[in-house]
Amino acid sequence: IFSHPSDAKIQSRREVMAARMNFKLFQQAEASSPVRISGRIPADATSGDVSLTTTDGGSVTVQTSKLAAPLPAGAFVEVLGTKVGDASMDASSVVQLPTSSEVDVELWDEAVRMSQLPQLRQFFQPKL
């Protein structure tokens, strides 16, 4: 719970500014860092915490208690939130992307890795 209305705005801006990452980059991020990670939700997912299979084959437990709706089972999604452990995050929002069969996961993962290269980083960071 935010103590002041502007705190919520600051938090959401922080998450929007979070760099896209795969599981390897997620593991390198510090706890309580804003994170943005993509992957597939299992087809048999139900409400509650869900295991996200990341674009590089890792697995992140997504805590969903702050989400208004359950994660879409079987969907390819981008999850924004805060890292809470080596392989877990607290989700604050989710964007459902095209169906899993339409997403080239290897290409997506390569773009994520390229976005971290110093010589290319400027092309992937949002402008304020």
Side-chain angles (χ1 to χ4, degrees):
I1 297 178
F2 297 106
S3 59
H4 189 274
S6 63
D7 290 346
K9 193 175 192 178
I10 291 168
Q11 180 67 19
S12 65
R13 177 175 285 172
R14 217 177 132 221
E15 289 169 357
V16 168
M17 297 297 293
R20 286 187 168 92
M21 47 184 72
N22 57 20
F23 186 67
K24 180 180 178 183
L25 295 167
F26 182 88
Q27 288 183 308
Q28 295 170 4
E30 293 187 32
S32 74
S33 296
V35 294
R36 177 188 295 249
I37 193 163
S38 298
R40 195 169 286 118
I41 303 296
D44 61 352
T46 58
S47 60
D49 296 351
V50 173
S51 180
L52 176 78
T53 302
T54 63
T55 56
D56 60 345
S59 181
V60 173
T61 300
V62 179
Q63 299 172 3
T64 61
S65 61
K66 293 181 183 173
L67 298 177
L71 293 175
F76 187 80
V77 297
E78 182 170 64
V79 183
L80 281 77
T82 305
K83 179 178 177 177
V84 295
D86 289 338
S88 63
M89 68 178 291
D90 189 15
S92 60
S93 64
V94 175
V95 176
Q96 185 171 347
L97 299 167
T99 62
S100 297
S101 62
E102 295 175 8
V103 175
D104 185 334
V105 176
E106 291 176 9
L107 183 61
W108 188 284
D109 191 58
E110 183 64 28
V112 167
R113 285 185 276 144
M114 286 176 57
S115 73
Q116 300 301 310
L117 296 173
Q119 63 270 35
L120 298 176
R121 189 170 289 156
Q122 66 180 338
F123 299 112
F124 290 93
Q125 291 179 335
K127 302 275 189 217
L128 292 178

